[in-house]
Amino acid sequence: MPGIVVIGTQWGDEGKGKATDQLGDSVDYTVRYSGGNNAGHTLVVNGEKYALHLLPSGILNPGIPVIGNGVVVDLEVLFSEIDALNARGIDTSRLILSANAHIIAPYHKTLDKVTERFLGKRKIGTTGRGVGPAYADKINRVGLRIQDLLDEQLLRDKVAASLIQKNQLLVKVYNQMAVDADEVADHLLSFADRVRPMVRDVARELNDALEAGKLVVFEGAQAHHLDVDHGTYPYVTSSNPIAAGACTGSGVGPNRLDRIVGIAKAYTTRVGEGPFPTELLDADGDRLRHDGGEFGTTTGRPRRCGWFDPLVVEAACTYNGVTDVFLTKLDILTGWEKIPVCVAYEVDGERVEHYPVMMDDIVKAKPVYEYLDGWSEDISGCRTFDELPATCQAYVKRLEELIRCRISGIGVGPGREQAVMIHDLI
Ligand code: GDP
Ligand code: IMO
Ligand code: MG
């Protein structure tokens, strides 16, 4: 069982970091393969809280943490995260970084912010971390790669070339100051000495490890419904967080992925703009937000909250070949007399039982609810399925039916040990 992918099945913040961390000490490599520091993965280990944005959650375990080629790297964030962990006594020296990963330059952050401002009402609600513009440059073939940092003149030339067009845009369209290419290059090169020892042919190293039977976990960021191809476009991120992204984002073949673990929150949240059929704009939504502490790890924005939407999760399970679902934050639902679960949408008066492909239908979808019995017992200390109250078990079983995928683990609290395992993931 050497290759395991962990992905989000909703709109992010499902608890991917915690689920990855929970796979534990036997993991040899933990690989981030997509996104950048738009992600925020919170782990609670021995009562200590860690908020990781760019580093893989495996940084807290003895294995090797890896940043794959599919990630966009803000060097300033990378080293401030490393320094903060070092200050807390965490050893980060095993971290390796793909020579092919792209760099988020300061002008990408500027462009992210001004583009959003320019879009006005049509804004995406990005995290403002420069992720979209960095991926745009990658696709436009004017991006900067980690390996470019190791050749000063090459980096200077690439920054200057990339800025010719951007400065026109910044000055003439967005009314901003032009960016000085040398200043940017100096800033990026100031990290070169720290980057150099981490740079590897990550694809080669991971393939060798898999060949030797090592356990490699690919830690997804964002989620299926934020995927640029499969999500609620244009309200998505600019990469492929889906399971297949683990292959392009790290350089391993699809036949290396033995298990796909889909993380699903026991209710639904979303940050930023875009459709969200089961969103609650009332006191129930406020209660979920309050009970679940649903405020962004990255931007601190209040997360939009709503009931569990099996159509959303079923689509993610199907399109990613999810083998096991890890259902998180079930403890947060304690105390509701009835818990609504969406079983279908009504779109233009018609009942729809699959997540629609047409954006217009998703926008218009009205959830049709079934009301399941709640429970009042504190479940945070439960460690086996049988210990959960009967109505809580019934909630899990009904979700399993609706998403058409087995639920193999359940989160009952933020702590590393707070989980109910039904089927082993390794
Ligand atoms: P990620 O981006 O998918 O890694 O998720 P986030 O870290 O952004 O958000 C999940 C939040 O829920 C974090 O604060 C976790 O500590 C917390 N969390 C994860 N699993 C559970 C759980 O089962 N119960 C509770 N109460 N909190 C959890
Ligand atoms: P984790 O890994 C939740 C959302 C943003 C915005 C959209 C595009 O913690 O689950 P971007 O900055 O990527 O261009 O923003 O995607 N978004 C996330 N929402 N969790 C995340 O990561 C997210 N990463 C990006 O809020 O709607
Ligand atoms: Mg998050």
Side-chain angles (χ1 to χ4, degrees):
M1 186 57 60
I4 302 182
V5 191
V6 173
I7 57 153
T9 61
Q10 295 155 320
W11 281 284
D13 303 325
E14 297 90 351
K16 298 174 291 294
K18 183 202 153 166
T20 302
D21 173 67
Q22 213 145 37
L23 292 171
D25 290 358
S26 56
V27 176
D28 296 299
Y29 291 82
T30 309
V31 188
R32 273 284 308 269
Y33 62 83
S34 71
N37 59 305
N38 47 353
H41 296 183
T42 302
L43 319 177
V44 179
V45 181
N46 302 326
E48 291 258 340
K49 194 165 162 175
Y50 300 89
L52 304 173
H53 298 285
L54 196 49
L55 297 175
S57 297
I59 198 89
L60 300 182
N61 286 325
I64 299 179
V66 182
I67 294 181
N69 58 276
V71 175
V72 284
V73 181
D74 183 326
L75 296 163
E76 213 167 330
V77 171
L78 176 70
F79 290 110
S80 69
E81 216 163 278
I82 287 174
D83 292 344
L85 285 179
N86 292 162
R88 293 173 75 177
I90 308 287
D91 175 19
T92 56
S93 62
R94 301 173 321 281
L95 178 72
I96 60 173
L97 183 52
S98 168
N100 288 346
H102 278 246
I103 295 172
I104 299 179
Y107 50 78
H108 292 131
K109 291 182 260 191
T110 310
L111 281 168
D112 196 352
K113 287 178 187 134
V114 294
T115 314
E116 282 282 272
R117 228 178 292 144
F118 204 74
L119 282 171
K121 271 201 336 245
R122 288 166 44 245
K123 72 173 197 277
I124 309 296
T126 72
T127 58
R129 301 300 192 257
V131 168
Y135 279 118
D137 274 6
K138 172 176 170 173
I139 301 301
N140 280 330
R141 293 161 296 186
V142 291
L144 312 170
R145 296 196 292 174
I146 289 292
Q147 59 180 287
D148 302 336
L149 278 178
L150 309 184
D151 181 337
E152 177 172 345
Q153 197 50 52
L154 179 74
L155 184 91
R156 289 191 184 280
D157 291 348
K158 283 193 165 192
V159 170
S162 179
L163 278 172
I164 295 172
Q165 205 185 22
K166 285 188 189 69
N167 272 336
Q168 298 283 329
L169 186 70
L170 283 170
V171 174
K172 295 186 179 154
V173 178
Y174 294 126
N175 234 346
Q176 301 284 310
M177 303 269 281
V179 175
D180 182 75
D182 277 329
E183 245 172 66
V184 173
D186 288 345
H187 169 73
L188 296 175
L189 287 164
S190 71
F191 298 102
D193 286 342
R194 289 190 78 182
V195 166
R196 191 172 288 109
M198 298 178 190
V199 181
R200 293 285 195 291
D201 180 350
V202 157
R204 174 66 58 197
E205 191 153 338
L206 290 177
N207 278 286
D208 287 349
L210 285 159
E211 198 56 40
K214 297 263 168 66
L215 180 59
V216 180
V217 175
F218 299 90
E219 178 183 2
Q222 290 83 50
H224 177 85
H225 293 278
L226 286 173
D227 184 276
V228 68
D229 283 274
H230 296 280
T232 40
Y233 191 90
Y235 301 101
V236 292
T237 192
S238 304
S239 67
N240 287 119
I242 54 167
C247 297
T248 49
S250 70
V252 304
N255 59 339
R256 293 295 192 187
L257 310 181
D258 299 284
R259 195 163 261 193
I260 318 288
V261 181
I263 313 301
K265 206 178 272 190
Y267 46 99
T268 314
T269 62
R270 175 164 203 170
V271 200
E273 308 302 316
F276 176 178
T278 62
E279 181 172 16
L280 292 167
L281 297 166
D282 56 9
D284 285 353
D286 292 341
R287 179 169 160 194
L288 283 176
R289 188 175 307 108
H290 171 269
D291 291 355
E294 297 296 351
F295 296 89
T297 312
T298 299
T299 56
R301 289 179 288 179
R303 293 175 182 150
R304 300 158 62 191
C305 295
W307 297 119
F308 190 82
D309 187 341
L311 282 76
V312 163
V313 176
E314 189 274 338
C317 289
T318 302
Y319 305 158
N320 287 277
V322 168
T323 56
D324 302 80
V325 164
F326 192 105
L327 186 72
T328 59
K329 302 192 100 162
L330 188 59
D331 53 302
I332 300 303
L333 292 182
T334 295
W336 293 85
E337 200 174 320
K338 290 281 179 190
I339 307 176
V341 173
C342 170
V343 289
Y345 297 148
E346 199 190 289
V347 180
D348 292 332
E350 300 266 332
R351 186 180 166 100
V352 173
E353 294 194 348
H354 277 128
Y355 190 74
V357 69
M358 301 303 286
M359 181 68 159
D360 191 41
D361 292 347
I362 302 170
V363 171
K364 285 193 289 199
K366 291 195 184 65
V368 177
Y369 287 115
E370 178 177 292
Y371 295 82
L372 303 184
D373 289 334
W375 59 92
S376 55
E377 297 89 334
D378 176 2
I379 61 167
S380 61
C382 295
R383 294 294 174 267
T384 64
F385 191 68
D386 291 344
E387 285 168 13
L388 295 170
T391 49
C392 183
Q393 291 185 14
Y395 182 78
V396 174
K397 286 287 162 204
R398 182 67 181 129
L399 262 43
E400 200 167 46
E401 252 169 42
L402 291 165
I403 62 177
R404 302 194 307 156
C405 185
R406 72 173 187 179
I407 293 176
S408 295
I410 299 168
V412 292
R416 185 184 259 180
E417 69 296 341
Q418 288 182 292
V420 167
M421 291 316 296
I422 304 167
H423 304 287
D424 286 339
L425 295 176
I426 297 176

